[in-house]
Amino acid sequence: MLQDIDTLIVGAGFAGAVSARLLAEKGEKVLVVDKRNHIGGNCFDKIDFATGALIHMYGPHLFHTDNPEVWDFVSHFADMEVYEHRVKANIDGKLASLPFNLETLYEVFPNTVAMEMEIMLTESFGYGENVTILDLKKQKEPQLEFLANYIYDKVFVNYTMKQWGLGPEDIDKEVTARVPVRINRDSRYFTDRYQGVPIYGYTKLFENILDHDNIHILLNTPASDVLEIKSNKTYIFGKEFKGKVIYTGGIDALFNYEYKPLPYRSVFMEFEVFGKDRYQEAATVNYPNNFDFTRITEFKHIHKTFGKKDVTIILKEYPIAYEANKTEPYYPMFTKEAKAAYKKYEAKAKKVKNLILLGRLAEYKYYDMDDIIARAMEKVSSL
Ligand code: FAD
Ligand code: UDP
C-alpha cells in the first residue's frame, strides 16, 4: 500500500480535504488520516436526534467569502443556500445589532443622542467606512470619546477577556478588527459577496469533496500512529517516505511538544434543548458582560430546513484554558510571544523538505474557512 501513496495528509478538515481532492484530481494517490472519528475537522455537523436540527458540533460555522473561486469550489460539492448571519449583543438586557453600526446607535441611545452621534461619526470617518474599536478609542472629541468608551465597555472589553483571557490591547489588533464599528446601516455580521451554508450541512459537503477513487481515509488515526520524523526525513509505518506530507494539525504535537505546547484558547461547547419553537430572536446572541459563556447560537435560524416544531437546540460557548491532549486547540493565541514560539517550530519544520504545513493549526493563523480553501488551492497548484 505504501508504495502507492504519493501524498500523506494529516487532518480531514478543509485544509486536508481540499488538498486531497485537488491532488487526487491531478492523478495522485492520497492517504488522509484524522485522529477524530469523523471527517470535516471543526466544521463537522450532524442531525440532533431529539430536535431534528442540524447542529455544528465545534461551534457555529457560517460560510462567507469574497473569492469567486472559493465559492465555486464549495458550490460544486454542495448546494449552498444563501444565509446572512445576524448577531445581537446583549447590552444592559437589550438586544442590539452587532457589528455596532449606525442602526445600533438608535437601539441603545435616545433618538436625539443617536442622531448627534450619527452626524459626528459620518463627519469624522465618512459614510461607509469601518473603524476598529481601538482606533475609535484614540478619538479626542468628547462625544466620540464617550461613544468609543461605551462600545469598548459594553461590547469588547469583557467579551475579549472571556474569549482570550486578555484585554483588547494585549492581543493582536486584527482580532477585534474582525468586528469593526461600521459607519453605515449594515447589520449583517459579514459583508462578503458570497454568504451561505451547505443546505445538507458541512459533513455532507466533506463527504462529496473526499469521494474520489484516489483518496483513502483512515479515521481514529493520530499522525503518530503512521508518521515519524527523524533526522529531517519522514517515515510512514516505519519506512522512509519520499512523497509529500501535508500536515494540518498542531505543529507542536508533530514535534512532540519539544519547545513546549503552543498557547491556544479552547472552548467548552454546551448544547441545551428547549421545549419551544424558538429560544431567541437572532441566530447568535453575544453576552459580552454577563455569564461565563460568550455567545448562544440557535441552529434553527441557520439551517431552516431542519428541526422539529416546538422544540429547539442552542449552543453556549464557554472559553476555557487549553491543555495539550485534554482540551481542543480551537484558537491559536495572537500575541507576540505566541507567534515567536511558533516560529521555532516552523524553522524546524522547514528542514523537512517534503513537509508542507497547511491550515489554522499548522500555520497558527486566525484563518476562516474560505482562507483555508484558498490556501489549499494555492499550495496544491504550486506543487
Ligand atoms: P480543522 O478544521 O481544525 O481540521 C484539522 C483536522 O486535523 C481535525 O479534524 C483534527 O482532528 C485533525 N488533526 C489534528 N492533529 C492531528 C493529528 N496529530 N493526527 C491526526 N489528525 C489530526 N470559519 C468561518 O469561515 N466561519 C465561521 O463562522 C467560523 N466559525 C468558527 C467557530 C469556531 C468556534 C471555531 C473554533 C472556528 C470557526 N471558524 C469559522 C474557523 C474554521 O473552523 C477554520 O477556518 C477551519 O475549520 C480550519 O480548517 P483546518 O482544516 O485548518 O482545521
Ligand atoms: N468581540 C467582542 N465582542 C463581541 C464580539 C467579538 O469583543 O461581541 C471581539 C473578541 O475579541 C473576539 C473578536 O472580536 O474574539 C472576533 O470576534 P468573532 O465573532 O469574529 O470571533 P469568532 O467567531 O472567530 O470566535
Side-chain angles (χ1 to χ4, degrees), residues 6-39:
D6 296 301
T7 299
L8 169 72
I9 298 184
V10 176
F14 264 121
V18 174
S19 309
R21 179 70 193 208
L22 297 174
L23 288 169
E25 283 178 2
K26 281 186 171 185
E28 289 202 14
K29 299 267 187 239
V30 184
L31 174 65
V32 180
V33 300
D34 201 297
K35 62 183 176 184
R36 291 179 176 163
N37 64 359
H38 59 74
I39 57 173

Side-chain angles (χ1 to χ4, degrees), residues 10-16 33-36 38-43 58-64 178 190 221-224 247-250 253-254 267 269 295 317 328 330-331 358-361 367-370 372:
V10 176
F14 264 121
V33 300
D34 201 297
K35 62 183 176 184
R36 291 179 176 163
H38 59 74
I39 57 173
N42 285 346
C43 309
Y58 300 95
H61 277 75
L62 303 318
F63 202 92
H64 55 99
R178 287 169 61 91
F190 309 109
T221 308
S224 54
Y247 183 84
T248 77
L254 178 64
V267 182
M269 308 280 174
R295 56 189 179 190
E317 291 171 68
E328 291 285 342
Y330 283 118
Y331 295 86
L358 191 72
R360 181 152 151 141
L361 291 171
Y367 284 139
D368 282 328
M369 293 182 277
D370 64 324
I372 297 287

Side-chain angles (χ1 to χ4, degrees), residues 98 155-156 159-160 164 175 178-179 189 286 295 331 366:
L98 204 70
V155 177
F156 284 96
Y159 188 105
T160 304
W164 300 100
V175 171
R178 287 169 61 91
V179 187
Y189 205 58
N286 287 5
R295 56 189 179 190
Y331 295 86
Y366 203 153

Side-chain angles (χ1 to χ4, degrees), residues 29-99:
K29 299 267 187 239
V30 184
L31 174 65
V32 180
V33 300
D34 201 297
K35 62 183 176 184
R36 291 179 176 163
N37 64 359
H38 59 74
I39 57 173
N42 285 346
C43 309
F44 175 66
D45 54 16
K46 67 175 192 188
I47 304 283
D48 171 59
F49 182 74
T51 60
L54 185 57
I55 58 174
H56 301 174
M57 299 306 292
Y58 300 95
H61 277 75
L62 303 318
F63 202 92
H64 55 99
T65 187
D66 277 323
N67 184 330
E69 264 184 79
V70 166
W71 182 253
D72 284 351
F73 182 89
V74 289
S75 305
H76 180 74
F77 292 103
D79 291 326
M80 297 296 288
E81 77 183 309
V82 172
Y83 169 75
E84 292 183 329
H85 196 47
R86 303 269 167 182
V87 176
K88 300 273 183 189
N90 186 310
I91 297 183
D92 298 332
K94 265 200 231 160
L95 295 192
S97 302
L98 204 70

Side-chain angles (χ1 to χ4, degrees), residues 229-293:
I229 299 180
K230 280 188 298 195
S231 311
N232 300 327
K233 290 185 177 145
T234 53
Y235 294 82
I236 299 186
F237 303 124
K239 282 199 178 151
E240 189 177 349
F241 177 67
K242 295 198 168 155
K244 295 178 284 300
V245 175
I246 299 182
Y247 183 84
T248 77
I251 191 174
D252 50 355
L254 178 64
F255 292 111
N256 300 316
Y257 305 103
E258 189 178 327
Y259 307 122
K260 294 201 273 193
L262 288 171
Y264 300 90
R265 200 67 178 152
S266 192
V267 182
F268 172 67
M269 308 280 174
E270 184 181 57
F271 291 89
E272 275 180 57
V273 171
F274 290 87
K276 51 183 169 186
D277 204 47
R278 286 293 161 110
Y279 178 83
Q280 61 190 23
E281 68 180 66
T284 296
V285 177
N286 287 5
Y287 288 84
N289 293 309
N290 2 46
F291 309 112
D292 291 336
F293 50 83

Side-chain angles (χ1 to χ4, degrees), residues 115-221:
M115 225 181 290
E116 274 177 38
M117 298 230 178
E118 173 170 359
I119 293 167
M120 193 77 77
L121 280 171
T122 39
E123 280 179 357
S124 305
F125 300 101
Y127 188 86
E129 291 302 309
N130 286 335
V131 189
T132 68
I133 185 59
L134 294 178
D135 284 342
L136 192 61
K137 284 250 304 161
K138 291 180 192 149
Q139 298 301 309
K140 295 279 172 273
E141 201 289 319
Q143 218 170 343
L144 280 183
E145 201 180 6
F146 166 82
L147 179 64
N149 286 333
Y150 179 89
I151 300 175
Y152 183 83
D153 291 345
K154 303 286 181 187
V155 177
F156 284 96
V157 67
N158 293 327
Y159 188 105
T160 304
M161 280 305 298
K162 268 196 266 189
Q163 175 72 12
W164 300 100
L166 294 171
E169 286 82 1
D170 301 321
I171 195 142
D172 195 305
K173 56 184 187 330
E174 81 175 81
V175 171
T176 46
R178 287 169 61 91
V179 187
V181 175
R182 288 198 193 133
I183 320 297
N184 64 19
R185 301 199 128 70
D186 192 345
S187 289
R188 297 172 304 162
Y189 205 58
F190 309 109
T191 53
D192 306 55
R193 181 160 161 209
Y194 307 100
Q195 305 192 30
V197 284
I199 292 189
Y200 302 109
Y202 289 94
T203 305
K204 185 73 199 146
L205 164 64
F206 277 86
E207 279 169 15
N208 293 341
I209 295 174
L210 290 165
D211 179 18
H212 192 290
D213 287 347
N214 287 345
I215 300 176
H216 190 88
I217 305 167
L218 294 177
L219 295 177
N220 300 304
T221 308

